[in-house]
Amino acid sequence: MRTDARLSREAGRDPDALGELYRRHAPRLHSWLLTQVAPHIAAELTAETFAQAALSLRRFRDPGGGSAAPWLFGIAKNLLRRYRERERVDRKARRRLGMRELALDPELVRVLTTAIELQPE
């Protein structure tokens, strides 16, 4: 079995390697994000974490003894922090302008929240 470090080195030229990293880590990352934000936001942040990881594979330095989990969770934590800051600014602006919160379509939320759960392990 290839280590995450090896997969990250190969992912730049082998999409299956990035897919394997996703299969290994997306469920746990998504579960953690679900404890932090609404399901549709957790799905978006999970996807963005792997998009950012794909763009920065050269920066992976194997801080986890062969596991990419610490690196991926670090990316996710930074994305979550930025999301919360944007939400805080947006909420403040909406209040100042007297705007109501928008409700999401429940069907869209269901699709977004089940997308990761349907991924094969």
Side-chain angles (χ1 to χ4, degrees):
M1 181 160 131
R2 295 184 288 180
T3 66
D4 287 357
R6 183 171 172 194
L7 288 170
S8 70
R9 285 191 303 274
E10 295 172 357
R13 60 187 182 285
D14 178 8
D16 291 336
L18 186 58
E20 179 61 26
L21 282 172
Y22 180 88
R23 283 185 293 282
R24 286 181 186 182
H25 299 287
R28 199 171 100 210
L29 182 69
H30 183 252
S31 291
W32 174 74
L33 285 165
L34 282 171
T35 69
Q36 305 296 313
V37 292
H40 64 284
I41 302 300
E44 289 179 24
L45 291 174
T46 300
E48 184 60 23
T49 296
F50 284 90
Q52 291 296 316
L55 293 171
S56 60
L57 287 166
R58 292 183 193 174
R59 286 188 265 167
F60 176 63
R61 296 291 177 251
D62 194 15
S67 175
W71 178 60
L72 292 167
F73 274 82
I75 293 170
K77 286 176 185 177
N78 286 332
L79 291 171
L80 178 61
R81 180 182 43 78
R82 283 184 280 205
Y83 166 77
R84 285 180 170 157
E85 178 60 21
R86 278 192 315 271
E87 277 299 299
R88 186 188 64 74
V89 169
D90 288 351
R91 243 187 337 273
K92 187 176 176 181
R94 285 190 299 270
R95 268 195 308 259
R96 209 173 43 248
L97 296 170
M99 297 172 68
R100 292 183 308 152
E101 294 286 327
L102 293 176
L104 287 176
D105 179 324
E107 180 63 14
L108 175 62
V109 172
R110 186 191 65 73
V111 169
L112 289 172
T113 57
T114 58
I116 289 178
E117 294 167 9
L118 296 176
Q119 295 294 322
E121 291 191 33

